[in-house]
Each structure stands twice: as C-alpha cells, then as structure tokens.
Amino acid sequence: MRKIALGIVSALVGGAMLVSGAGAASAATKTDTQLKIRDISPNPVVVKAGAETTAYFDIGASSDVKKVELSVAPEGVRALRAKDVKDLEGWRFAVGFTEGDAHGKWSATAVAFDSAGKEIAKDTAFFSVELEKGKADTRITRFSADPYKVRKGKSIYFSGRLQVDDEGWEGVRGEKVNIYFRANGSTGWKWVASDWTGWGGKFSTKAKAYRSGTFRAVYAGDDELESATSRTDYVRVYGPWWRR
C-alpha cells in the first residue's frame, strides 16, 4: 500500500517554507515521471488581522516518485529554513498564513525525488496573499456646544471635526455626524441635529435651547470606518426675564 504525506507548516514573514513527504509506489520508468501542482486553495489567500488562513496545495505525481518537497515563498525573497512535517495522506500540503507574511505574489515549487534521492521532476505555480483590511479607527475632535449659557428658545451652535487614522489622523469628508442631548436628571440621549462633514472633516449645525444638559456628537461608522463619539459639552439654559 502506498504511503503518502501531508505537510503542515506555518508561514514565515519575508521567507519560505519547505515541506516534504515520503512514500512507496510501484516502479516506473523515468520517461513516465510526472509532477504537477494541480490546485492551490484558496487563491488568493486572504488573511485577517489576528487570525491565520490555511492554504492547501494539491500535487499530482507519477508512481516512480518516492518523495515530494514543497517550498513556498514571496516573489523575490530567498528561502530561510524548512519547517516540521507531519505525515498523513495524499500528496497534499497545508500552509498557514498570517498578517505578518508578505502580501502580494507568491510562488509554490514542488520537487520530486526517486528512491535514490535524485531529483527527477519539478513544477512551479503562483498564488497571492492578501490582507483583509479591517475598519479604520475614527475620532471626533474639537467638539463644542456654544454658548455655554443661553436663554431658552435661542440657538445652540455645535462644531467639531471627524478624523480617520490613515497612517496619521486626517479629516473625513462626506460623512454624517449626529448631535445628541441628555437633559439634567435624564439617563437617555435624544437626537437634536445632524450635519455632513466637509473639508478637513469639519461639521457645524445648530438647535434651539430648551433645557440645561449635555451634548455630544456621534458618528455611526460604515463598512470601512469605525464609529466614534465625541467628548461631552454642557450648556446651561435659563428662562426669559419678566418685568412687572
């Protein structure tokens, strides 16, 4: 019965991985030697931050092949060292990739050897490794509700700036920011106004003053941006003065 191998390795950042397996098969002539990387799945290999994605390499080999070695490496990077191999079934190999591995084009090279340890065939295939980007962090800065003391029925003016962390904080344009109010003695927040950010992520809007309380700005986020909530700002509202 033919014994065949499955190599399970973990990717090295900027390096290569080598896995091998050995087995017994019926004899065949050198002219019959065949070796082919039949499938790489998934391709591309998409990795998430903080997680590992396993890629499987399926190799077809003729009966005179007694051992197969597989190396995988990002294009243009020299192999570093071999990884441990676990023998299971099939000319099939598993390689784990993480966010620390090089992103872009990779090559997979399978090498076949005969019973004497002589290389008798080689095949190379290509695949890619991609990082699945998470949502970018955002923040609301310079939020203010002015004036800090206002007569009931007059306007309160809100302003601030929405920013995203894109290798440094910068303004986000075209996003909706909502203003919420919590009256003195209340535990709930009530929507009072909204605005869309402009150049530099700036927003400004207003609402009428009715009761003293606390205001804050909230950005809900989207498919690419995380949500954000500003610091709070307190406004005191006083009633009209009546003269007899």
Side-chain angles (χ1 to χ4, degrees):
M1 176 181 295
R2 179 182 176 186
K3 180 184 178 183
I4 31 193
L6 170 67
I8 300 182
V9 301
S10 294
L12 289 175
V13 59
M17 294 155 283
L18 180 65
V19 290
S20 64
S26 58
T29 64
K30 292 182 180 180
T31 56
D32 293 330
T33 299
Q34 295 182 15
L35 182 73
K36 184 175 179 60
I37 300 176
R38 297 184 296 195
D39 183 60
I40 300 174
S41 180
N43 186 12
V45 180
V46 179
V47 297
K48 297 181 180 180
E52 181 180 81
T53 298
T54 301
Y56 296 93
F57 300 77
D58 181 32
I59 300 171
S62 54
S63 59
D64 58 329
V65 173
K66 300 301 186 289
K67 183 176 72 172
V68 171
E69 292 181 349
L70 175 73
S71 62
V72 296
E75 283 293 271
V77 178
R78 186 177 59 183
L80 294 180
R81 63 185 178 87
K83 299 295 291 183
D84 295 335
V85 177
K86 183 178 181 180
D87 291 343
L88 295 174
E89 299 182 17
W91 293 123
R92 186 172 164 83
F93 302 88
V95 181
F97 293 88
T98 68
E99 61 181 317
D101 294 305
H103 308 145
K105 188 177 182 180
W106 283 60
S107 62
T109 302
V111 180
F113 299 87
D114 62 14
S115 58
K118 179 181 178 181
E119 180 182 323
I120 54 177
K122 179 185 291 187
D123 187 42
T124 298
F126 298 94
F127 63 101
S128 61
V129 175
E130 298 178 0
L131 177 64
E132 180 177 279
K133 295 183 178 180
K135 293 185 179 182
D137 289 332
T138 62
R139 69 181 184 184
I140 296 175
T141 63
R142 303 180 185 179
F143 174 70
S144 65
D146 298 303
Y148 73 93
K149 184 171 67 172
V150 63
R151 181 178 294 186
K152 183 177 180 180
K154 296 295 184 180
S155 293
I156 302 175
Y157 298 88
F158 311 101
S159 63
R161 179 175 293 180
L162 176 64
Q163 295 180 316
V164 61
D165 186 6
D166 186 12
E167 298 183 356
W169 291 101
E170 59 184 46
V172 184
R173 186 183 183 190
E175 298 294 333
K176 186 178 182 180
V177 175
N178 294 301
I179 309 299
Y180 290 89
F181 170 68
R182 183 177 63 191
N184 286 351
S186 174
T187 58
W189 291 88
K190 179 182 178 182
W191 174 92
V192 294
S194 297
D195 190 33
W196 294 85
T197 57
W199 289 108
K202 295 180 180 180
F203 61 88
S204 61
T205 185
K206 65 180 181 178
K208 285 188 177 183
Y210 290 103
R211 295 178 62 185
S212 298
T214 303
F215 294 88
R216 69 181 183 184
V218 177
Y219 170 60
D222 58 20
D223 292 340
E224 298 180 354
L225 302 177
E226 291 284 3
S227 61
T229 300
S230 73
R231 68 177 183 87
T232 59
D233 202 8
Y234 182 81
V235 175
R236 178 187 171 192
V237 178
Y238 60 89
W241 293 98
W242 295 95
R243 292 186 179 181
R244 292 179 182 270

